[in-house]
């Protein structure tokens, strides 16, 4: 009886509390009947080894408890597994592309130890890959055990299937080659247009690199100093960037989410336009806040400092035409960069306004 109790306790530990008593009682009757039948066959009491052999025939406690468990028997069921596999493969390839670009930029930036930069890139890729696989598995397990079935499992369109080339290594190789094979790989035969999700994938990767740089994961040494007459001038950020750090990060992450949705649903024109209109308004607000600050960077060389600052009065074509005439001293470089900054903000604002009107038209016309 002690052996039976230990066995049933192990089974009960895997069962819901409200069902343990009934299930263990049923199992106890089954075990005792098997013991009695074996004793009648042998004509004697069973030894401990013989009792344990019968319990092994009934099954391991984990396996026996699983027979009574309600719901799915697997972490990721057969219905969701193909989607899980595609998400993992595509995500790993996108992560590989991002890490390859970051590694190239670090090598071009002249790291002190190229071997260390490569090792760090591999370490970062494997860490991010394991997190991706874990997140995908957790999401699939939640869907599986809660009975959640997203609409994309049922409501899909054939013309949106081009994004599934993201999980095909041959498609990436063909695209890198830039040959006709790339078109044949990414697109169905007979289509003249390029895969519509390609531009959104590029935008997603570019925004991802910006986010990594913005949070300090990625560094661009050439942007932190300017060489002036053989001596570097240090570039430091003005307070406006600290004030707007979180809004700019959120803005970039939202932009990435819109681009990622567009990668998989490139023909959802109205949905994308509806999302991009408020994003463009948010970009306009950020542009206005940055321009209103009037001070964006400070150049420092020794004891000398100069500010990259200005207002809309620098939005003058004559100043733009005279950019090449500025001096190469600290004040001259700061003045030139101030004009460039104002024009960059103006162009950014103009492009965002155009984006609003363009997406309003797309929202109306589809």
């Amino acid at each position: 009886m002690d052996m039976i109790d230990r066995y049933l306790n192990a089974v009960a530990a895997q069962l819901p509390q409200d069902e343990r008593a009934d299930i263990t009682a049923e199992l106890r009757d089954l075990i005792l009947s098997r013991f009695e039948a074996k004793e009648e066959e042998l004509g004697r009491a069973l030894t401990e080894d013989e009792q344990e052999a019968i319990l092994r025939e009934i099954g391991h406690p984990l396996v026996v408890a699983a027979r009574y468990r309600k719901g799915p028997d697997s972490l990721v069921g057969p219905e969701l597994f193909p989607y899980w596999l595609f998400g993992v493969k595509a995500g790993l390839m996108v992560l590989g592309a991002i890490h390859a670009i970051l590694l190239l930029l670090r090598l071009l930036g002249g790291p002190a130890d190229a071997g260390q930069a490569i090792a760090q890139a591999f370490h970062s890729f494997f860490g991010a890959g394991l997190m991706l696989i874990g997140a995908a598995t957790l999401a699939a397990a939640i869907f599986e055990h809660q009975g959640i079935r997203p609409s994309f499992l049922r409501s899909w369109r054939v013309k949106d299937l081009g994004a599934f080339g993201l999980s095909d290594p041959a498609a990436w190789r063909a695209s890198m080659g830039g040959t006709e094979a790339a078109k044949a790989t990414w697109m169905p035969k007979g289509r003249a247009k390029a895969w519509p999700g390609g531009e959104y994938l590029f935008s997603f990767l570019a925004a991802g690199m910006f986010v990594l740089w913005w949070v300090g994961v990625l560094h661009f040494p050439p942007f932190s100093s300017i060489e002036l007459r053989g001596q570097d001038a240090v570039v430091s950020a003005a307070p406006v960037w600290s004030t707007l750090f979180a809004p700019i990060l959120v803005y970039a992450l939202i932009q990435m989410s819109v681009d990622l949705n567009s990668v998989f649903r490139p023909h959802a024109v109205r949905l994308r336009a509806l999302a991009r209109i408020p994003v463009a308004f948010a970009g306009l607000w950020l542009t206005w806040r940055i321009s209103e600050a009037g001070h964006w960077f400070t150049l420092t060389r020794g004891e000398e400092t100069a500010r990259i600052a200005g207002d809309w009065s620098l939005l003058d074509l004559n100043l733009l035409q005279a950019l090449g005439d500025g001096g190469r001293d600290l004040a001259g470089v700061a003045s030139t960069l101030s004009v460039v900054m104002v024009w960059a903000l103006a162009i950014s604002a103009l492009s965002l306004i155009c984006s609003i009107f363009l997406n309003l038209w797309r929202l109306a016309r589809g």
Side-chain angles (χ1 to χ4, degrees):
M1 297 302 293
D2 181 60
M3 183 178 294
I4 295 176
D5 288 337
R6 287 200 300 270
Y7 180 84
L8 293 177
N9 287 336
V11 175
Q14 318 305 321
L15 299 172
Q17 291 187 0
D18 57 345
E19 299 178 355
R20 289 180 180 179
D22 294 337
I23 294 175
T24 54
E26 178 184 342
L27 286 173
R28 185 182 296 274
D29 292 340
L30 172 65
I31 294 170
L32 289 175
S33 65
R34 295 280 292 271
F35 280 11
E36 291 173 359
K38 191 66 175 178
E39 287 176 345
E40 290 181 3
E41 179 185 342
L42 296 175
R44 59 175 174 81
L46 298 177
T47 64
E48 287 191 359
D49 291 341
E50 290 170 336
Q51 291 177 356
E52 194 164 17
I54 293 175
L55 293 177
R56 280 199 294 266
E57 290 177 1
I58 294 175
H60 192 280
L62 293 176
V63 177
V64 173
R67 298 171 188 164
Y68 295 92
R69 186 181 301 121
K70 298 178 181 179
D73 296 329
S74 56
L75 195 62
V76 182
E79 183 183 2
L80 290 177
F81 178 77
Y83 298 91
W84 175 89
L85 182 61
F86 164 75
V88 169
K89 289 173 63 178
L92 289 176
M93 290 188 180
V94 171
L95 283 176
I98 293 175
H99 281 79
I101 294 173
L102 296 180
L103 176 60
L104 178 62
L105 291 173
R106 288 185 177 181
L107 293 176
L108 292 177
D113 188 347
Q116 183 180 4
I118 295 173
Q120 289 176 347
F122 275 102
H123 180 270
S124 176
F125 170 73
F126 283 118
L130 289 175
M131 289 183 60
L132 169 69
I133 295 173
T137 304
L138 177 61
I142 293 174
F143 288 172
E144 186 71 43
H145 289 265
Q146 296 298 322
I148 301 172
R149 292 297 181 266
S151 60
F152 64 78
L153 296 182
R154 303 179 302 273
S155 304
W156 53 271
R157 299 185 299 178
V158 174
K159 63 181 181 180
D160 293 335
L161 299 182
F164 287 89
L166 284 171
S167 63
D168 182 11
W172 287 80
R173 289 195 298 268
S175 296
M176 291 176 64
T179 62
E180 290 297 323
K183 298 179 181 179
T185 304
W186 287 102
M187 299 183 303
K189 292 183 179 180
R191 288 185 62 181
K193 297 191 299 181
W195 173 50
E199 60 177 297
Y200 308 118
L201 176 61
F202 177 81
S203 177
F204 172 79
L205 295 176
M209 290 181 61
F210 170 80
V211 169
L212 291 175
W213 171 76
W214 189 247
V215 299
V217 175
L218 179 64
H219 300 280
F220 294 103
F223 295 165
S224 61
S225 62
I226 298 176
E227 184 177 350
L228 297 175
R229 296 176 180 174
Q231 184 178 359
D232 286 345
V234 178
V235 181
S236 55
V240 62
W241 303 111
S242 298
T243 304
L244 297 179
F245 178 84
I248 291 176
L249 178 60
V250 172
Y251 173 78
L253 291 174
I254 294 175
Q255 182 66 55
M256 287 181 66
S257 66
V258 174
D259 289 334
L260 186 60
N261 180 72
S262 301
V263 168
F264 293 99
R265 303 184 64 185
H267 296 285
V269 178
R270 283 193 171 93
L271 179 62
R272 182 165 56 253
L274 186 63
R276 286 191 166 184
I277 290 172
V279 171
F281 274 111
L284 272 177
W285 177 80
L286 287 172
T287 302
W288 174 77
R289 286 292 306 274
I290 294 170
S291 64
E292 285 296 304
H295 173 213
W296 306 300
F297 300 98
T298 300
L299 300 182
T300 305
R301 186 180 60 178
E303 299 296 328
E304 186 181 4
T305 62
R307 304 176 91 190
I308 299 176
D311 52 34
W312 295 118
S313 64
L314 298 180
L315 204 62
D316 189 330
L317 287 176
N318 293 326
L319 294 175
L320 188 63
Q321 293 173 354
L323 279 181
D325 300 333
R328 286 296 297 170
D329 58 345
L330 197 66
V333 171
S335 176
T336 299
L337 293 178
S338 298
V339 176
V340 172
M341 188 68 185
V342 170
W343 276 93
L345 290 172
I347 294 173
S348 174
L350 181 61
S351 66
L352 289 169
I353 293 172
C354 292
S355 176
I356 292 172
F357 284 106
L358 178 61
N359 285 292
L360 285 172
W361 182 82
R362 287 174 174 168
L363 186 61
R365 300 293 299 273

